[in-house]
Amino acid sequence: MADINTVVIVSDRQELVNQISQKLVLLRNLDRIKSCSVEEAHNMFDGFNPNVLILHCDNNNVHAINLIKKLKKQETYKNLPILLINENCSREVVVEAFDSGISDVLFMPIIDYELLIRVIWCLQKNELNLNIESRMNFLTNLGVVQSETGVYTQKYCDDFLKNEIAQSKKYSQRACILLISPDKKYPNYRNPKDFITVLKQSIRMNDSVVIKDVDQFYIYLQKTKLNGAYSVFERINNKLGIDCGANAGVVEVQDQKFEDIVTALSDALEKACENTNSLIVASDFYSNAPKPKISLESGLKAIDREIEKIENLKTIEN
């Protein structure tokens, strides 16, 4: 971690600020602790960049949630780890806080060792975020990552996918790849840049978007089964709104050859584009024998089959 870390405590209750500060005394002497109210935080964070923000939110305080949203929209604070201290907040507010960008949540009453563990984790996450940002800047300078969108460029599309597939296979991790494009049948067709923004908002930090063509994009979903890919596709279409949409093909990474995966996804997307908001599962045996015709199945039928398998297993167990 950095030689000097700054932890900011934001709360409208000074006694809670004092309590948290006292519990953080076991942090290194080189670490600094600052505090302010929720209202004062807007001015404090003007150009000031701490390592961790501890934010107290009581009784569904909308001002605390708005502060999270405001900070996360700014380039300087987009990677700032935020530890939310939850006091009498509803489940919906906590979920909204996570969706807005907090790193962790701690419930009142505060336990000393738990607070320390979570703050140390946030400090480590801050260091990790800085390292990732440095490497992404390096990749941007090399032309591997697109500067305006932060996605992987078309030039390195195949190289990136091959690397990710090899990594997933090395550690025996499941993964899915979506090949997705905007549905041009909608009147409010999204331009590629806006479409990429929606894609990035719909996936996790460890997932990736890669440009295949002007209006076709791969999404690499790590540690994801087909049902997880269905959820991502649904989330994308929900974020696009009723006047826009997307079509996609999806494949679960197993032992296929890279060329077979690419071909299957292209065929699946072509089939999906015949409909509206359609997701097609691309499957193949990928054996060394003469290659069979690619089977293209709708996502809905695939889900039905999975449910049928589960029910059959239950019947056998009983």
Side-chain angles (χ1 to χ4, degrees), residues 206-250:
N206 60 331
D207 298 326
S208 305
V209 178
V210 193
I211 299 173
K212 179 182 184 292
D213 209 335
V214 176
D215 58 356
Q216 291 186 6
F217 308 91
Y218 288 111
I219 303 178
Y220 196 90
L221 303 172
Q222 298 185 25
K223 298 181 180 179
T224 303
K225 299 180 181 180
L226 281 175
N227 58 348
Y230 303 150
S231 298
V232 171
F233 180 72
E234 183 179 1
R235 193 179 308 129
I236 290 169
N237 272 297
N238 287 338
K239 286 184 177 294
L240 287 171
I242 59 175
D243 294 329
C244 297
N247 295 310
V250 63

Side-chain angles (χ1 to χ4, degrees), residues 240-257:
L240 287 171
I242 59 175
D243 294 329
C244 297
N247 295 310
V250 63
V251 66
E252 185 170 349
V253 176
Q254 296 174 349
D255 297 322
Q256 314 97 314
K257 294 180 180 179

